């Protein structure tokens, strides 16, 4: 059997890359074309694996056409793939995706590709296959393309109208994905387009008309995903404008709450600061319906920069939204800072760090952030007129860069200096987070909630990844508390505490040093009573039994047994405050 089309999302290998990153669009295209009667197969992964996959498919089954998904992180790879395919098999090659809007005649000549889809891909690609395989129409008669006409000339056809009825499109089928059996997250698209005109954003710059799927259609899709992937417990709404319509959010929350009566799951969404600021009650509704993680577009702590970005927000609005999200009970809130953006300077960076620090003060243990380099996506105001934003594009480095290399310069910062700028910004953020944790400024229920979300649902915050799990003793303590293997003494009725079993969260041999002739853990020197009580806290003895044993050896230092017990319980309380132990029922 010869496939009608092979569809690929190809990325280079780089440190920190995640092969399981999901391109929902490629999956939807594959399902869509299959429903229309075409045989399609998809691949998503690294470039070396992709080349091997193409060769195996072409050797075993063959293919009539090949299509590539393009974005900012892989566009430089595609000319080589296109040329390889054209030279070896001489079959039509197509390109689509968000970065396709920046493809021009030079790229077409360099790559040798036959057609580029410049908007939503479903029906344009369908007509391309009808043209190349079934010869139903000339390629230059298809809207929304940059293509080679029947004479070999490169032409741009009229824009294609956006798809109005998104409910008519098939749902993605993640069983097509490599390793889907191990997934714990399901991405869901509920709408397309964006009414905002943010200067740096592809979505608002290229697909402006907002179209929403019906809420019932989305909920039915989620049910099917849970049937196909019963182990998944985390829904990831990928829309930029999920919170655009309060009435729709209300309907979604009611529907998701009903679904959660049948299936234990939580969810994530992105929210726009402007809509959340105007209708903060949405956040409470979403939290009650299972929202545990919210992303908001912060981008900058400078109102001047936010104005240049056309965000229609201010840092004061951002602070208000974070306060309201905490009041609503949202467990994890995140939002990134763009480094190397408009008029970037020491002053704007100071405003960035001040805002992030303020937000962490408002939501300690809940809000997190990092700095990322500005990505000048095609068709955006930043990429079309960078001089209006006080930016110079370093386009010659595009082929080497992802989000890990700056592609901009400003009057104050060269692209090389921007490396240090971002590193310093992120260093200060992580240091602040670590200081909060070490100095006990994060509510314990927030910490435990982070552990529960990670264990039960696979929902990880930067607090958990970058801070919590790197403090070994605390990490062991909260792991055991969050899974309820141990309990804090404050959660046990006082009249029953003596019948519970104190349990260290570490082995003594792994932490205690005797180099100076007395036992110590780090810089903390243990008294004889502390050492004995800690040694006895192995989980084998009840607290009452431990106190009796310790009194036999240390009671002589106290006037009465009551005095001893009071001091011993103070020691046990100190150990617990240091996260060295907690209590087991049996």
């Amino acid at each position: 059997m010869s496939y009608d089309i092979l569809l690929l999302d190809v990325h280079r290998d780089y440190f920190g890359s995640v092969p399981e990153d999901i391109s929902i669009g490629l999956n939807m295209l594959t399902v869509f074309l299959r429903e229309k009667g075409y045989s399609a197969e998809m691949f998503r992964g690294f470039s070396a694996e992709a080349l091997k996959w193409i060769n195996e498919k072409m050797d075993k089954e063959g293919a009539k056409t090949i299509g590539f998904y393009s974005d900012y992180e892989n566009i430089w790879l595609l000319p080589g793939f296109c040329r390889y395919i054209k030279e070896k098999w001489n079959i039509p090659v197509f390109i689509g995706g968000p970065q396709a809007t920046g493809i021009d005649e030079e790229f077409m000549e360099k790559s040798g590709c036959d057609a580029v889809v410049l908007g939503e891909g479903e029906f344009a690609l369908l007509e391309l296959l009808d043209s190349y395989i079934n010869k139903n129409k000339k390629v230059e008669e298809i809207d929304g393309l940059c293509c080679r006409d029947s004479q070999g000339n490169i032409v741009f056809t009229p824009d294609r109208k956006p798809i109005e009825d998104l409910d008519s499109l098939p749902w993605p089928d993640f069983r097509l994905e490599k390793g889907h059996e191990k997934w714990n997250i399901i991405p869901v698209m509920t709408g397309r387009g964006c009414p905002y005109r943010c200067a740096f954003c592809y979505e608002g710059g290229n697909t402006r008309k907002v179209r929403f799927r019906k809420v019932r259609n989305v909920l039915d899709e989620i049910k099917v995903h849970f049937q196909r992937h019963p182990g998944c417990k985390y829904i990831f709404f990928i829309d930029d404008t999920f919170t655009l319509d309060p009435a729709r959010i209300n309907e979604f929350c009611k529907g998701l709450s009903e679904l959660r009566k049948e299936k234990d799951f939580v969810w994530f969404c992105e929210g726009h600061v402007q809509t959340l600021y105007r209708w903060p009650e949405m956040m409470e509704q979403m939290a009650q319906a299972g929202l545990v993680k919210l992303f908001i577009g912060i981008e900058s702590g400078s109102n001047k920069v936010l104005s240049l970005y056309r965000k229609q927000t201010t840092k004061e609005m951002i602070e208000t939204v974070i306060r309201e999200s905490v009041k609503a009970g949202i467990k994890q809130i995140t939002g990134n800072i763009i480094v190397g953006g408009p008029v970037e300077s020491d002053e704007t960076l100071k405003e960035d760090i001040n805002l992030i620090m303020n937000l962490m003060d408002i939501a300690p243990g809940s809000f997190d952030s990092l700095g990322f380099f500005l990505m000048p996506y095609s068709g955006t105001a930043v990429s079309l007129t960078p001089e209006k934003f006080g930016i110079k594009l370093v386009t010659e480095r595009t082929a080497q860069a992802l989000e890990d290399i700056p592609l901009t310069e400003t009057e104050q910062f060269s692209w090389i200096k921007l490396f240090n700028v971002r590193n310093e910004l992120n260093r200060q953020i992580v240091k602040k987070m670590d200081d909060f944790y070490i100095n006990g400024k994060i509510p314990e229920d927030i910490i435990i909630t982070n552990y529960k979300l990670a264990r039960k649902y696979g929902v990880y915050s930067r607090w958990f990844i970058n801070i919590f799990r790197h403090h070994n003793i605390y990490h062991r303590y909260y792991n055991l508390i969050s899974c309820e293997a141990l309990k804090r003494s404050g959660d046990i009725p006082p009249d029953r505490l003596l019948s519970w079993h104190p349990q260290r969260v570490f082995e003594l041999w792994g932490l205690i040093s005797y180099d100076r002739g007395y036992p110590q853990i780090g810089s903390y020197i243990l008294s004889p009573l502390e050492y004995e009580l800690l040694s006895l806290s192995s989980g084998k003895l009840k607290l009452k039994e431990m106190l009796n044993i310790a009194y036999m050896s240390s009671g002589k230092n106290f006037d009465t047994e009551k005095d001893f017990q009071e001091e011993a319980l103070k020691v046990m309380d100190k150990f617990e405050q240091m996260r060295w132990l907690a209590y087991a029922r049996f």
Side-chain angles (χ1 to χ4, degrees), residues 82-261:
C82 293
R83 290 194 307 271
Y84 179 83
I85 292 165
K86 297 297 290 186
E87 291 170 4
K88 189 166 184 178
W89 297 291
N90 194 30
I91 59 174
V93 180
F94 313 131
I95 293 175
Q99 194 64 17
T101 57
I103 290 177
D104 54 18
E105 292 91 338
E106 181 181 355
F107 182 94
M108 295 286 288
E109 294 291 355
K110 181 180 179 182
S111 65
C113 76
D114 297 271
V116 178
V117 177
L118 300 177
E120 293 175 338
E122 285 85 359
F123 287 98
L125 185 53
L126 179 64
E127 291 186 41
L128 274 172
L129 294 182
D130 286 343
S131 174
Y132 279 95
I133 295 176
N134 298 323
K135 312 300 180 184
N136 287 343
K137 64 164 65 174
K138 293 181 180 179
V139 65
E140 59 264 34
E141 297 174 349
I142 302 172
D143 289 345
L145 300 181
C146 172
C147 62
R148 299 176 188 277
D149 63 17
S150 51
Q151 283 74 46
N153 300 313
I154 298 173
V155 298
F156 287 84
T157 65
D159 292 343
R160 177 176 290 272
K161 293 181 179 179
I163 300 169
E164 293 290 342
D165 183 11
L166 297 182
D167 291 334
S168 67
L169 298 177
W171 303 330
D173 185 349
F174 298 119
R175 294 172 298 183
L176 301 176
E177 304 282 346
K178 181 175 61 176
H180 70 89
E181 303 89 351
K182 298 179 182 179
W183 281 16
N184 191 51
I185 181 172
I186 294 293
V188 176
M189 179 273 295
T190 78
R192 291 181 179 177
C194 180
Y196 300 105
R197 301 291 181 268
C198 297
F200 59 88
C201 180
Y202 165 84
E203 193 71 23
N206 294 279
T207 53
R208 297 178 177 178
K209 185 173 183 180
V210 179
R211 293 138 294 141
F212 287 131
R213 294 170 58 191
K214 291 184 177 63
V215 171
R216 175 44 53 192
N217 185 267
V218 177
L219 296 174
D220 288 344
E221 177 191 341
I222 292 173
K223 287 182 181 179
V224 169
H225 288 317
F226 282 146
Q227 291 169 4
R228 294 172 177 172
H229 303 275
C232 287
K233 294 184 176 182
Y234 188 27
I235 296 295
F236 194 97
F237 291 112
I238 64 174
D239 312 22
D240 292 338
T241 52
F242 184 78
T243 61
L244 192 62
D245 182 352
R248 186 170 180 264
I249 287 297
N250 182 53
E251 186 180 355
F252 253 121
C253 289
K254 289 179 180 178
L256 291 168
S257 295
E258 288 300 312
L259 277 184
R260 294 180 75 233
K261 294 177 182 178

Side-chain angles (χ1 to χ4, degrees), residues 502-532:
Q503 171 69 66
R504 294 188 311 272
V505 300
F506 54 84
E507 296 291 343
L508 290 178
W509 59 266
L511 287 178
I512 289 189
S513 168
Y514 302 92
D515 293 346
R516 298 184 178 181
Y518 44 78
Q520 65 183 91
I521 296 178
S523 60
Y524 188 87
I525 299 172
L526 294 164
S527 70
L529 177 59
E530 289 174 330
Y531 179 70
E532 182 170 19

Side-chain angles (χ1 to χ4, degrees), residues 529 551 554-561 563-565 567-568:
L529 177 59
Y551 181 68
S554 302
K556 58 182 178 296
N557 299 319
F558 296 85
D559 294 334
T560 66
E561 185 174 355
D563 291 340
F564 164 79
Q565 190 172 95
E567 180 62 27

